[in-house]
Amino acid sequence: MRRCFILLLWAIHACGVDILWSRTSDRANPMPLSGELDALQAHIFVPTPTPTNNIQRVEFWLDWTVDSGMPPTKTEGLTPYDFAGSGPKPTYIAYSYNLVNIPAGDHFIAVRVTYKDNTFDIDSANFTIPAYPDVNNIYVKYSNSDDRSSPMLLSGATIPYEDFVYIFVDGSSTGDRVVQFFMDKAVGTPDNTDLATPFDYAGTDPLGVPHPLDKTLVGPGLHSLTTYVQTASDIVEKNTILFTINSPVVVLQPYEIMVSINPDRSNAMPLDGSTLQGGPSYIFTAPDTTIVSVVFYLNTPETGTSYHKEGKVPFDFTGTAADLTAYPWARNDANAGSNYIIAAVTSDDGTVYHLRADFTVIIPGTVSLTPASISAVLATDTGPNTFQITATASSMDTLTITGLPAWAMVMPNPIVVPGSFSVLISAQSVAVGTYTATLNFQNSAAVTMASLPITLTVNDPNNLMFDVQPTIVNMIGRPDSGDTGAVISVTGAPLEPSVVYTVSVDVMWLRTSTSTQFTAPNDFTLLANTNNLPEGTHTGSVTLQAPNYATFNLPVNLQLTAAGCEPVICNQIRVALPYSLVFVQNNDKAVVDKNGVGTGFTYVLSHAPGTGSSVDAYKPDLLWMDTAKGLLRMKTTAGINAGTLNNADNSIGVGFAVPNQIAVITARLVEPYTSAATGNYEQAGIWFGTDQDNYVKVVWLSYKSGGIPAYAIQFVAEFGGVTVAEHKEFVLNQPGLDQLLRIIVDPFTRKIYGQMGGQTGTYLPLGTAENVPSEVFGFDAAGIDPVIGTRSFAGVMTTHRKGVQTQFSFGSFDIEQGERPLPPMDFTFDRKSHPLTHPTNMVFGPDGKLYVTELYGNVHTLTYDSNLNVVEHQICTTIPDHFGPRLTLGIAMDPTSTPGNIILWVSHSSPDLRAGGLNSGSISRLSESSSGFSNLTTPVTGLPRAEANHGPNSMAFIGNRLWITIGGNTGAGGAVNNGMEFGVREEQWLSAALLYMDPFEPGFDGDCYDEGEDPWGKDPGCDVSIWATGLRNSYDFVHHSNGMIYAGDNGLGLANTGAYPKSPYAPCFGFADPTPYYDGGDNPLEQTDLLYNVKQGKYYGHGNPARDECVYKDGSYQGVPPLPNFVPPMADLGMHASPDGITEYKGGGGCGQLEGNLLVVRYSLGDDIRRIVLSADGESVASISTIAMNFQDPLSIRVNANGDIFVAEHGGNFITTLRFVDNCP
């Protein structure tokens, strides 16, 4: 297929794209990509036009059409345009694509070529991968000598484990060939590719000596070796042979795997052949008198991942306590039915003995209690208080309750499940204090089927205390934007029927939403009036009082930043989808009509700069909520947004997160044909965009034809103040009928569609805007105010243009989530979400609790039960209490933390996202006291911070070293003076880098910037070191179990926000030219997001003049070689994806298929979790797929010890858990 698309109606461009392939990396003798490809590897490319290259970029898709919604397989922004990527200067070789990884059959590659005039061609090429026949004339041999002497056929061979083995293909008789080897697989990443003899499986050293087979990686047993050979006559042959590696010679020895029901290992019996049920088991090896170490494996051979290692007596399967008793094995990770444990026992003479025990596990029926825990707060000598508990069970049973304290009672006891029962808690004759107990519900076999934690807090009735959450209120807003609010939860100390209390405030701008007297337990809304308050931080307090209660003082901080949302409320603008409005009642929200009735809209599209603010664009006296008839009636003005005219009034709407999904915007315009329109371009309809210069609208239009009023449905797309697409569909006069209007916003293809609806609910196309500018979709979050949460809006509008004022009526307005192609999912999850405002990062503690940072400084502690329900949620406000609001993006667990002594490290910086404070980055240490995490020190200060929201990001301890990623101060390495979000701040010594430090080192100096220092100088002299540089904005990183560090990196998101350094040669300080690179400037335009293997001393491409890193990426944009330490990315993660949170999966979920894989959350396009499978050596990516979708701006991802996945949904205000629903074979 071949299609030529244009954005400008008058633009002309010739169609056609050549998609070629070559057998060699220099692209010699190219052929059209078509027919059967008789090669192992292909160099696929789009040729560079001559004599003038007018290509902006080339995007490739393998077996997906351009409009499928899937990200490109490869995007090339510079010549040459290679499907598998290109090598560096000066050769620019084409990287090959391994064709054996494409299944046999018909395939196609789709290509979109975007030109510098923003026109583009779409084309595709069909080709066939043959089914490579198995042949027997590939002579795979092995030798026991490194000179390959006395070779033997590998097929059918049995090789002693102890022998050195060299495997090779004998190609001496068949001429030059290409050989690929695959051990125990037929596709994927080859174990080795040889382009010339000798063809050695494990590779060849520079002297031609083969490397031996590493049997510790391959292991004993039956193996397959698949070999693909491309002969000199370009015939591809395939051969798979089988061979066996014997197990290591084992000398029998009377060691045995034993099991006991007692932690002291008494009354033990052999595990082999036993059946385990009931209480926990204690498994160990015996006798232990001559054992040096034991490695245990559960349901996996010794080539798999070990379960536990013991290096001293006694040798317990689950470890040994300090008192030398064995830790219990609860069998939660065992199979129901058959299981086995292998123990590799090393004796004191160095001999390794291999023990195996097969056994059966019986897992009884399950019992679940709701609620999962109970807590009572009573005054002394009061109660009892009764709690009703519901027990669900997989089968009927009778359970006896044990562990009852004197202050609790269960009725009845025993209980029958499923069913319900009562727990009575009393403070009669109980002293003041807090008491805990755990009720155990046991069956007739004394197996504990469920547990119920209970807590009693006893207060002195003469000195009662309120329980108020939060304990400090932090509000964010803008001056003169009306009220901003916070919900306060109040509980009285004793559980009496009610506690009447009063609320008072100490500043004029604070008040409660209703009365000043309330009855606890309850919630009330605290409002802060921002009118007439200047920018800055304002403080106040709220006082709660009641008889017999201690007075409670609630501090309030109000942070006001530059105005910009008036007359609406910033934190109300963004709404969650689907969002539906009908006009039969007060819809609340900030945009109200002439009578103060809420329309449900949250935003007013402002006039262009110089023609009035959004206050001037808002005319509430022209809006009327006619709730009796279910209509929003809007009277028109002459204002309109068209070209240089940007004075439209009452373009009211809502904001929403555009990159999260395809959005379908629909409105019902009621009986427009009976309006007073006179044919003078009166119009009413819907719109989507960022401002009055960048929008798409679909409107009902009245115009004149032959002097007589006529009607049309009009589609208009305007970007940068220029109309790029327009179409009118003429319609007949239809008095009494409504008109349906629709806009479809597709961020995945960067298209926006206009449609008109008929009376039957069907829709007809009006027009399409192609290649819509990225800023319209809000791909780059760096310039988005998180209080607002978006830069894109949609709503309704009217104008009478050249006519007289008329009135239009709307009956409904909806934004729904449209469907898009979904990738196949290999895993199923149980999914739960817990509300938490703007979470940014997470870390698990040794106590099993999850610690979460909130955007402006609060730290939350979440305690989960075994079913992933949050049973306790605590909030620490120490950071904002001490500093005021701070942009808080990183949290790490101190390596000395214990379950009873948690120490946290938190990174934070200036809260202003438009003018971030210079060197405002800090790292604070929080430790526990009697009142929570109130002990604060700040060992590290003066870290770089951009004017936009780049700064100190994620942290982690690796040993005693604390590591942190720091975002870049600029869009692409060079400062630009064009008024965009990064301002004029240049890069600094410690910016755009992965840093590390040892804060425990005596004399540690963490002060990285002193007042009076040159902030643009070289090394600031603090004890913070650079590990790797050139990382534009790596939000997170992970230290993998293979010892390597991996990080995603956010590429330049908007074309007009960045430039690389002005010169590729040092010194390169100063303002760079934001003109596109192909027009002679320094702007590389939008860049894809990347995955890196971050190694010490390496440079990853984001320039930094402070470090003399003046070459951008591989130097191709500037026409120079790359820096000597430049390292290309491991993988392209797509355009506008924002791959932020990253972690390594451990825990056995998904039937064990994900162990060691990287999991990455994509904040922008995708809103999903991507699974990245690494090669065996960890140096490359084997595959990338999606395992979960439909998140709202996921920013961080972590995995607990059980293999459950936790996602921080920053835009959705949730911590979401995913537990695998495994259906393993």
Side-chain angles (χ1 to χ4, degrees), residues 20 358 1115 1161 1217:
L20 307 177
D358 293 271
V1161 288
T1217 60

Side-chain angles (χ1 to χ4, degrees), residues 1024-1149:
V1024 176
S1025 302
I1026 297 174
W1027 177 262
T1029 63
L1031 300 169
R1032 179 182 180 271
N1033 191 29
S1034 289
Y1035 186 81
D1036 198 5
F1037 64 96
V1038 61
H1039 181 231
H1040 196 277
S1041 57
N1042 64 13
M1044 299 180 186
I1045 296 175
Y1046 300 99
D1049 197 28
N1050 285 272
L1052 183 62
L1054 298 180
N1056 57 354
T1057 59
Y1060 42 75
K1062 67 177 186 178
S1063 168
Y1065 306 105
C1068 53
F1069 276 112
F1071 290 129
D1073 183 356
T1075 303
Y1077 68 92
Y1078 52 70
D1079 287 333
D1082 303 319
N1083 185 350
L1085 304 180
E1086 298 168 2
Q1087 298 287 302
T1088 58
D1089 301 327
L1090 303 169
L1091 177 70
Y1092 290 117
N1093 183 348
V1094 185
K1095 298 184 178 182
Q1096 187 173 21
K1098 299 303 181 182
Y1099 169 66
Y1100 293 90
H1102 180 86
N1104 188 327
R1107 296 191 294 257
D1108 292 338
E1109 294 169 339
C1110 304
V1111 178
Y1112 182 67
K1113 294 193 173 180
D1114 63 0
S1116 58
Y1117 284 89
Q1118 298 156 295
V1120 297
L1123 293 179
N1125 60 339
F1126 171 74
V1127 175
M1130 294 180 68
D1132 185 333
L1133 298 180
M1135 190 79 76
H1136 307 306
S1138 192
D1140 292 321
I1142 185 172
T1143 192
E1144 177 186 2
Y1145 185 80
K1146 302 176 183 178

Side-chain angles (χ1 to χ4, degrees), residues 814-828:
D814 300 273
I815 307 180
E816 299 175 324
Q817 294 169 300
E819 295 183 357
R820 64 184 175 95
L822 299 179
M825 301 290 178
D826 296 328
F827 305 98
T828 304

Side-chain angles (χ1 to χ4, degrees), residues 376-709:
V377 181
L378 299 173
T380 54
D381 296 321
T382 62
N385 195 71
T386 301
F387 296 85
Q388 195 73 16
I389 309 296
T390 300
T392 57
S394 58
S395 60
M396 182 172 289
D397 203 349
T398 299
L399 305 180
T400 301
I401 296 91
T402 63
L404 277 167
W407 41 269
M409 177 183 298
V410 174
M411 296 179 64
N413 185 7
I415 65 171
V416 176
V417 295
S420 61
F421 60 94
S422 299
V423 178
L424 287 71
I425 297 181
S426 173
Q428 298 289 341
S429 302
V430 182
V432 171
T434 299
Y435 305 86
T436 60
T438 299
L439 309 186
N440 295 312
F441 297 76
Q442 296 182 338
N443 63 15
S444 58
V447 176
T448 298
M449 304 297 296
S451 297
L452 181 70
I454 61 175
T455 303
L456 168 63
T457 301
V458 181
N459 286 329
D460 183 346
N462 297 315
N463 187 25
L464 303 180
M465 300 290 292
F466 286 108
D467 180 9
V468 180
Q469 293 294 330
T471 56
I472 185 171
V473 178
N474 292 299
M475 299 185 188
I476 300 168
R478 302 194 185 283
D480 299 314
S481 62
D483 289 338
T484 185
V487 176
I488 313 300
S489 297
V490 182
T491 304
L495 288 178
E496 51 195 12
S498 62
V499 178
V500 178
Y501 65 97
T502 58
V503 176
S504 60
V505 298
D506 66 348
V507 289
M508 294 292 293
W509 47 267
L510 276 177
R511 73 183 192 281
T512 59
S513 60
T514 54
S515 68
T516 58
Q517 188 174 80
F518 302 94
T519 301
N522 78 307
D523 296 341
F524 71 86
T525 300
L526 181 68
L527 297 175
N529 188 339
T530 64
N531 293 337
N532 301 314
L533 292 180
E535 294 182 50
T537 301
H538 304 269
T539 60
S541 65
V542 180
T543 301
L544 281 66
Q545 294 177 307
N548 298 324
Y549 275 73
T551 298
F552 188 94
N553 290 310
L554 179 64
V556 179
N557 293 321
L558 174 63
Q559 177 74 31
L560 298 182
T561 55
C565 295
E566 63 281 340
V568 297
I569 300 173
C570 290
N571 58 13
Q572 289 186 3
I573 290 174
R574 173 170 157 171
V575 300
L577 301 189
Y579 191 74
S580 181
L581 290 177
V582 291
F583 307 110
V584 297
Q585 61 183 5
N586 187 338
N587 284 324
D588 202 4
K589 303 299 182 186
V591 177
V592 298
D593 74 350
K594 62 183 180 180
N595 300 315
V597 178
T599 63
F601 290 104
T602 61
Y603 186 72
V604 180
L605 197 63
S606 65
H607 291 162
T611 60
S613 68
S614 59
V615 174
D616 296 326
Y618 178 39
K619 313 289 185 183
D621 56 310
L622 302 181
L623 304 175
W624 175 35
M625 283 283 290
D626 186 352
T627 57
K629 294 185 177 180
L631 299 175
L632 170 61
R633 301 189 185 275
M634 301 177 64
K635 290 186 177 180
T636 61
T637 70
I640 193 170
N641 48 320
T644 58
L645 292 175
N646 294 296
N647 58 357
D649 295 317
N650 281 343
S651 291
I652 56 178
V654 296
F656 65 100
V658 177
N660 293 2
Q661 67 280 300
I662 294 174
V664 181
I665 306 159
T666 308
R668 180 169 61 90
L669 186 61
V670 177
E671 299 184 7
Y673 301 93
T674 57
S675 67
T678 60
N680 285 292
Y681 298 97
E682 298 94 338
Q683 53 190 273
I686 56 176
W687 59 271
F688 164 80
T690 59
D691 54 46
Q692 295 201 24
D693 270 336
N694 297 276
Y695 68 90
V696 170
K697 69 178 180 180
V698 175
V699 296
W700 178 94
L701 173 70
S702 173
Y703 70 103
K704 287 184 178 178
S705 176
I708 301 174

Side-chain angles (χ1 to χ4, degrees), residues 856-1070:
Y856 285 109
N858 290 340
V859 178
H860 299 253
T861 304
L862 302 184
T863 304
Y864 287 84
D865 65 13
S866 59
N867 295 318
L868 297 182
N869 298 309
V870 174
V871 295
E872 186 177 27
H873 184 163
Q874 299 173 314
I875 303 175
C876 166
T877 60
T878 302
I879 296 279
D881 289 351
H882 185 84
F883 298 99
R886 297 279 284 175
L887 179 65
T888 306
L889 303 180
I891 186 170
M893 186 64 56
D894 191 288
T896 65
S897 293
T898 65
N901 181 32
I902 299 296
I903 301 172
L904 302 174
W905 294 71
V906 179
S907 63
H908 51 92
S909 63
S910 164
D912 197 319
L913 301 182
R914 298 178 179 176
L918 177 67
N919 290 100
S920 61
S922 300
I923 302 175
S924 294
R925 178 183 183 272
L926 297 174
S927 59
E928 293 183 284
S929 67
S930 58
S931 57
F933 291 98
S934 59
N935 295 326
L936 180 144
T937 59
T938 304
V940 183
T941 58
L943 295 176
R945 166 60 201 274
E947 291 189 41
N949 62 8
H950 291 190
N953 290 321
S954 293
M955 300 188 298
F957 275 97
I958 304 176
N960 282 338
R961 285 181 171 181
L962 179 61
W963 300 65
I964 184 171
T965 53
I966 305 290
N969 287 349
T970 66
V976 293
N977 189 14
N978 63 349
M980 298 304 294
E981 60 200 31
F982 284 99
V984 298
R985 186 167 298 166
E986 297 202 74
E987 297 290 350
Q988 298 170 269
W989 182 260
L990 296 178
S991 64
L994 175 61
L995 311 178
Y996 68 96
M997 66 205 77
D998 185 354
F1000 307 107
E1001 183 76 21
F1004 171 76
D1005 177 13
D1007 184 0
C1008 295
Y1009 175 59
D1010 292 323
E1011 293 295 332
E1013 290 181 352
D1014 176 11
W1016 321 114
K1018 296 294 183 180
D1019 188 344
C1022 57
D1023 293 336
V1024 176
S1025 302
I1026 297 174
W1027 177 262
T1029 63
L1031 300 169
R1032 179 182 180 271
N1033 191 29
S1034 289
Y1035 186 81
D1036 198 5
F1037 64 96
V1038 61
H1039 181 231
H1040 196 277
S1041 57
N1042 64 13
M1044 299 180 186
I1045 296 175
Y1046 300 99
D1049 197 28
N1050 285 272
L1052 183 62
L1054 298 180
N1056 57 354
T1057 59
Y1060 42 75
K1062 67 177 186 178
S1063 168
Y1065 306 105
C1068 53
F1069 276 112

